[in-house]
Amino acid sequence: MPYNLNLPETFNAADYFVDRNIREGRGDKVAVRCEDRSFTYGQIQADVNRFGNALLSLDVRMEERVALLLLDTEAYPQTFFGAIKMGAVPVCLNTMNRSKDFQYYLNDSRARVLVVDAALLDQIEPIRANLTFVKYIVVANGQAPAGDLSLSELAGAQSDQLACAPTCRDDSCFWLYSSGSTGSPKGTVHLQHDMVYATETYAKKVLGIKEDDSCFSAAKLFFAYGLGNGLYFPFGVGASTVLLPQRPTPAAVYETVRRERPSLYFGVPTLYGQMLEEEGTMDGVRLCVSAGEALPPDYIHRWKSRFDLDILDGIGSTEMAHIFISNRPGDVRPGSSGKVVPGYEARIVSEDMVDLPDNEMGILLVKGDSAAAFYWNKHEKTRQTIMGHWINTGDKYLRDEQGYFYCAGRSDDMLKVGGIWVSPMEVEACLVQHAAVLECAVIGAPDEDQLIKPMAFVVLNRSYQAGEAMENELKDFVKASLALYKYPRWIRFLDELPKTATGKFKRFELRNLVQSEAGHH
Ligand code: 3UK
């Protein structure tokens, strides 16, 4: 069932998500809570306008990118919607990444301005000289080094009045980077109408989000998942959002729920598992959501008996902006991703794109008007993923006769770890740089809760000793150069790796080895 938004041709998402709230009388309503601070929609609008004017004062023009490397604070709504409002295109960067990742994102996107949280500046310092296009670095939530700008000073000096740039509903609106098993991460270009579509479909029809809801997303705003949960869903209906700048440990999440009493809570499976191991309450929450990777049924049952709350598992992607297949309140099938969200369509097809009958596993294709338009400067990858109205998710799924979808793995080698992509090839490329490593292969292996984590098989160079000391050294080596969640949780030493006649690793043999061992426990 396609869904027609009927947006005017000239349309700016900041008008819909920010200004409309003031027009509809919610100027004095709290929009954002962060630590001990509260901001009304009126205050957020003024800050959005000041930042938009600040970008104009820096000569930023329509369609130019503005990179955001920010923790979850009020600076996020301000800079995200401020950039959109004056016609620029925010690029939301994953704060868990490392210097060399940021160098790639900033040069690939050609962002003219980087807004960076003071707490993350140390990741930028080593690459400053290599940033070809960044002209201004704006520091949020702290002191700016000499030569850089401070967000509060820069925006504070500007007018709080700003008209929306006359963008089209089909103009670029924001980017998110998505990684694949091969090649560099892809700048995924979303349009002005995409956030509206996800709000009108998933947020309103599945979550039933209303003005009196308060959202708390443990998943950060730089994820497509968190951006909807913690920013544009609540802003889309004039609800409020609770932002947590810190790492979402179970203790921090429980404490935030206790203090702020949100009505909607959004997490990822790993965190639900950790929260089930710790003391805490979820009083005031009416509904919980999980996405990023499949939610173990055991968590659903234990959560229900402890808090009397459903967790709605749903599958979304960066390319689709948000969730397109989901369980419903009162209709939760543990182990299933649920049914197609109204406004989306899904197909299960064979390798040759022929539709398959119920209960047969195939590739999941999805259609819906929140889909990204293209990958920036990656024409072939765009062609492979965006097939007219249909997006190839790269996921293997099956659908039962009642319309419930079941996840059955990936059609590439990509791993979801704590809800975030890890490319085994990237971890391998890092490990082989260690002097002790002759060759290695990385696969996904289930932990005690059946959630996937990276496992490395390593062949050492002669004269190096396998053992716990080497294991720790190699883990630390990966942690030092890649985002922390990517390091191999287990390292196994082999004399040689199984290979095909043409010298490629037989990943499936390693996977089978791990699976057969798991079967014996
Ligand atoms: C996997 C799931 C099983 C699946 C995301 C909600 O995860 C999000 O986006 P990404 O681009 O990854 C997309 C891929 O992740 N996946 C996501 N959710 C589930 N697999 N069950 C699930 N519930 O492989 C998918 O193709 O990082 C999630 C909203 C917005 C998002 N971007």
Side-chain angles (χ1 to χ4, degrees), residues 436 460-471 473-474 493:
L460 290 176
N461 279 312
R462 268 197 306 268
S463 84
Y464 288 92
Q465 194 76 56
E468 210 179 301
M470 179 56 72
E471 219 177 289
E473 184 172 331
L474 294 177
F493 299 101

Side-chain angles (χ1 to χ4, degrees), residues 178 223-225 290-295 313-319 321-323 337 393 395 397 407 410 416 419-421:
S178 175
F223 292 119
Y225 178 48
S290 173
E293 60 185 315
L295 181 66
D313 188 9
I315 173 178
S317 72
T318 305
E319 286 77 3
H322 216 275
I323 291 174
S337 305
T393 61
D395 294 308
Y397 260 79
C407 163
R410 286 287 300 172
K416 267 306 184 95
I420 322 173
W421 286 130

Side-chain angles (χ1 to χ4, degrees), residues 444-477:
D447 66 10
E448 55 280 3
D449 281 333
Q450 299 306 307
L451 291 170
I452 297 297
K453 300 284 180 302
M455 175 186 274
F457 291 84
V458 170
V459 180
L460 290 176
N461 279 312
R462 268 197 306 268
S463 84
Y464 288 92
Q465 194 76 56
E468 210 179 301
M470 179 56 72
E471 219 177 289
N472 290 333
E473 184 172 331
L474 294 177
K475 287 179 185 175
D476 289 344
F477 185 74

Side-chain angles (χ1 to χ4, degrees), residues 94-304:
N94 179 336
T95 60
M96 294 193 278
N97 278 317
R98 311 304 281 274
S99 292
K100 76 167 185 13
D101 306 309
F102 297 132
Q103 180 174 320
Y104 167 78
Y105 300 138
L106 292 166
N107 288 340
D108 179 68
S109 67
R110 308 191 187 126
R112 289 241 307 159
V113 175
L114 164 66
V115 187
V116 55
D117 200 288
L120 298 165
L121 247 183
D122 61 338
Q123 291 293 325
I124 296 302
E125 292 305 346
I127 55 163
R128 232 178 225 276
N130 310 334
L131 302 178
T132 324
F133 300 100
V134 172
K135 240 182 128 183
Y136 301 101
I137 294 183
V138 179
V139 179
N141 301 320
Q143 204 82 49
D148 292 337
L149 301 160
S150 128
L151 176 62
S152 56
E153 283 171 27
L154 175 72
Q158 304 290 327
S159 155
D160 63 2
Q161 301 293 312
L162 172 69
C164 285
T167 48
C168 173
R169 64 189 170 209
D170 296 338
D171 250 306
S172 298
C173 185
F174 66 99
W175 296 14
L176 296 160
Y177 274 90
S178 175
S179 33
S181 54
T182 57
S184 340
K186 300 154 287 189
T188 308
V189 179
H190 277 285
L191 307 183
Q192 297 282 340
H193 65 261
D194 294 358
M195 294 188 283
V196 182
Y197 199 81
T199 306
E200 293 294 333
T201 57
Y202 174 73
K204 289 194 181 172
K205 301 211 165 63
V206 174
L207 300 178
I209 190 171
K210 295 262 160 51
E211 188 180 334
D212 58 7
D213 274 310
S214 157
C215 301
F216 172 36
S217 179
K220 298 293 176 191
L221 295 173
F222 60 74
F223 292 119
Y225 178 48
L227 189 69
N229 306 336
L231 188 53
Y232 68 82
F233 289 167
F235 278 37
V237 296
S240 64
T241 185
V242 175
L243 300 179
L244 172 71
Q246 287 82 23
R247 215 163 61 84
T249 57
V253 169
Y254 279 132
E255 167 57 20
T256 306
V257 169
R258 192 193 58 74
R259 198 182 63 228
E260 303 291 343
R261 289 185 69 90
S263 58
L264 293 168
Y265 171 73
F266 304 85
V268 295
T270 329
L271 183 55
Y272 280 107
Q274 293 166 349
M275 288 176 73
L276 281 164
E277 297 304 315
E278 290 194 29
E279 303 264 312
T281 54
M282 294 296 283
D283 296 352
V285 175
R286 70 170 175 90
L287 196 57
C288 300
V289 176
S290 173
E293 60 185 315
L295 181 66
D298 183 50
Y299 292 0
I300 300 184
H301 298 129
R302 286 162 61 199
W303 197 263
K304 180 86 186 170

